[in-house]
Amino acid sequence: MNPYILTILLFAMGLGTTITFASSHWLLAWMGLEINTLAILPLMCQSHHPRAVEATIKYFLTQATAAAMLLFASITNAWITGQWNLEFMSYSLPTTLVTVALALKIGLAPLHAWMPEVLQGLDLTTGLILSTWQKLAPFCLLLQINPSNTSLLLILGLASTLVGGWGGLNQNQLRKILAYSSIAHLGWMILVLQFFPSLTLLTLLMYFVMTFSLFISFKVNNSTTINSLSMSWSKTPIISSMVPFILLSLGGLPPLSGFMPKWLILQELTKQSLAPLATLAALSALLSLYFYLRISYAMTLTMSPNTLLNALPWRLPSNQHTLPLAITTSLTICLLPLTPAITALLTL
């Protein structure tokens, strides 16, 4: 892609998210979401492959539906209250419609079916943008409106954690596994959204760091299926030895950083007298952990049949820039000892 066009599209994505962040008016928030969606579409179909074009169309139709529902909800709210401000969401009908529209935008279960299909049709870099940056603006709106319908959010959150665990069990494609991982993590965030919003932001930040590390690791290895991971030892032995830690951190295994947000969320749910819900969420994390272990096993404990020449590529100089990967991997593995300090900051 032409670098000037790429710069304009990335700027438009940043602008759309910033408009939504800064807006207190529903029309401006909707406009920011639309700019965000339209800016990523050319990036998604830049390869002109039929699979990428199909994924782009699916994404566009889903996001257009969610945006139309959001606009309808905001017009309904303005009709009832006479106000266009985000803060004036006191009636249940428009609030529920907005919550469902934003759930469709970010891919919460049971409105998740587009997410694995779309991510499977994209390259890993665009998939990373879709899994991280595109979640920011809808999450900002969810945090601002603070939905009063507790049971709806809890149902969406629990369904997402369960679907994210079950859906990834039988997959061989890494991008689909990452999509189901994204759905499961979003479910954890939604469970605690109305009880402890700053903990939701911490979980979102940790998810971004871990997902960035994993996507970049797969991109360096040029891997898109579990079977292709067995070749990674001969290409990048250091990254191959670090990826299991990233995966287990995503699964929430102590003593890695990914355990911290899950631990704090379970603690908060228990404080809110929702111990059965916390138990179900913790059990659903075991499903996710199983397919993370499958990837770890394929990457570190299996070796594909190699000739001597195939076993030597790691000796050649690499043109991959791995400094950001090193930083995010360190954060993914080593943040758990800072939990007391982070908890104190959250409660300020």
Side-chain angles (χ1 to χ4, degrees), residues 185-206:
H185 278 87
L186 291 171
W188 280 90
M189 295 171 215
I190 293 296
L191 280 175
V192 81
L193 179 75
Q194 64 207 114
F195 306 124
F196 202 163
S198 51
L199 179 53
T200 299
L201 285 176
L202 171 70
T203 312
L204 187 66
L205 184 64
M206 280 305 307

Side-chain angles (χ1 to χ4, degrees), residues 134-146:
Q134 294 298 94
K135 310 289 185 200
L136 282 173
F139 250 99
C140 171
L141 291 179
L142 271 173
L143 286 165
Q144 283 189 70
I145 62 170
N146 196 11

